[in-house]
Amino acid sequence: MTHILAVKAVVARELTKVFRQRARLISAMVRPMIWLLVIGSGVGSMLQGEQQAGYLSFLVPGIVAMTLLFAALLSALTLVYDKEFGVMRMMLIAPIPHYLIVIAKLIAAAITAMVQAILLLVILALIGLIEVKVALWLLLPALATAVCCAAIGGLIAAWSKTLDNFAVIMNFFIFPVFFLSGALYPVNQLPEMLKYVVLINPFSYGVDLMKHVVPTANSDFSIMTDITVLAVFSVMAISIACWRFSRESVHEPLFHRATGKK
């Protein structure tokens, strides 16, 4: 029971910070709308008739997934922020397993990503790009994708000692993960070599899972394949991040200063 209360406390702390920054939530909608309306319309203008409107609908799962990816990775940044600025020292003193801190942070990251995805889906429904029914059905695959994205952020944060390190790794990592996921174009139209990259990219399966909900977005994998890959990767990534963080907290000076050990 103590462990559950500790996790809830950490999650509540992270979500309180997010909802206090309302401008952050609103500004987070700018990026996906630019991609959808500017880039989507630009590429769609090269198509004709129904294909043009169909391409915008095809982009919806990818743009929602992009929102989840950016939101979850930026939320996972708090793991590094707390380590660098000393907040983590107080958490490490608490009589709970250190891996629970990582799990709580990633739960908060997934919830933050879902909040931003819901806001985006509301906007898309209001402008008539998707039906309300489709937007509601998208929430389930979006949740699975949010957990996957939070797990990716946890992996990066676990190996980042400073904010600068996290930013460099994230910028190097985030765009290949997004572009090589089938978010902007069908996987079957990619060159053969790039198809293999898409296959080993776990984010691809989150995008594809959402494509199953949108009628105009043709999926590349089966629903069972998508769910299996997302579940296996998320469990493995979170486990590795927890192991790395627990190991680091024992061996690094940060932990010794927090507990007074020599």
Side-chain angles (χ1 to χ4, degrees):
M1 187 64 182
T2 303
H3 293 172
I4 296 176
L5 292 176
V7 170
K8 288 174 63 176
V10 175
V11 172
R13 172 180 175 267
E14 298 301 321
L15 295 181
T16 299
K17 290 193 298 184
V18 170
F19 287 112
R20 281 179 178 173
Q21 300 171 340
R22 296 177 184 176
R24 173 184 167 186
L25 292 174
I26 296 173
S27 62
M29 297 298 100
V30 175
R31 184 190 299 110
M33 294 308 296
I34 288 177
W35 276 91
L36 187 63
L37 299 180
V38 177
I39 297 178
S41 299
V43 175
S45 65
M46 296 186 289
L47 305 175
Q48 296 181 350
E50 295 181 357
Q51 288 183 329
Q52 182 173 357
Y55 182 68
L56 286 177
S57 297
F58 171 84
L59 282 181
V60 168
I63 296 303
V64 174
M66 180 187 73
T67 302
L68 293 168
L69 180 64
F70 277 82
L73 288 182
L74 289 175
S75 296
L77 176 66
T78 60
L79 268 170
V80 185
Y81 182 92
D82 287 351
K83 282 194 293 183
E84 185 168 354
F85 290 93
V87 178
M88 192 62 67
R89 299 180 190 176
M90 294 180 286
M91 293 186 179
L92 290 174
I93 297 174
I96 59 171
H98 297 156
Y99 67 84
L100 287 180
I101 299 174
V102 177
I103 292 176
K105 292 274 191 178
L106 297 186
I107 290 174
I111 294 174
T112 301
M114 280 300 298
V115 170
Q116 294 191 16
I118 291 171
L119 288 176
L120 178 61
L121 288 172
V122 170
I123 294 173
L124 296 179
L126 288 175
I127 64 177
L129 199 55
I130 57 172
E131 298 179 2
V132 175
K133 180 176 66 175
V134 173
L136 292 174
W137 276 108
L138 274 171
L139 293 177
L140 289 175
L143 179 58
T145 307
V147 174
C148 175
C149 294
I152 294 173
L155 272 182
I156 298 175
W159 264 269
S160 302
K161 295 186 180 297
T162 65
L163 292 174
D164 290 338
N165 287 345
F166 185 91
V168 169
I169 296 173
M170 189 181 77
N171 288 330
F172 176 79
F173 189 81
I174 194 169
F175 287 107
V177 166
F178 173 62
F179 285 119
L180 296 174
S181 66
L184 302 178
Y185 27 71
V187 174
N188 56 20
Q189 294 183 10
L190 290 173
E192 198 66 29
M193 184 178 70
L194 293 182
K195 286 182 182 178
Y196 291 111
V197 179
V198 173
L199 289 176
I200 62 174
N201 178 6
F203 183 66
S204 304
Y205 299 89
V207 174
D208 191 75
L209 188 60
M210 286 190 280
K211 285 182 180 179
H212 283 280
V213 180
V214 180
T216 55
N218 297 324
S219 59
D220 299 291
F221 314 108
S222 68
I223 293 178
M224 187 56 64
T225 299
D226 293 333
I227 294 175
T228 302
V229 172
L230 287 174
V232 171
F233 172 80
S234 297
V235 170
M236 290 180 60
I238 293 173
S239 299
I240 293 172
C242 290
W243 167 80
R244 169 68 180 178
F245 182 81
S246 298
R247 181 175 180 272
E248 184 183 56
S249 66
V250 171
H251 292 90
E252 291 293 319
L254 170 65
F255 177 79
H256 297 318
R257 287 196 301 268
T259 58
K261 291 183 179 180
K262 301 292 185 182

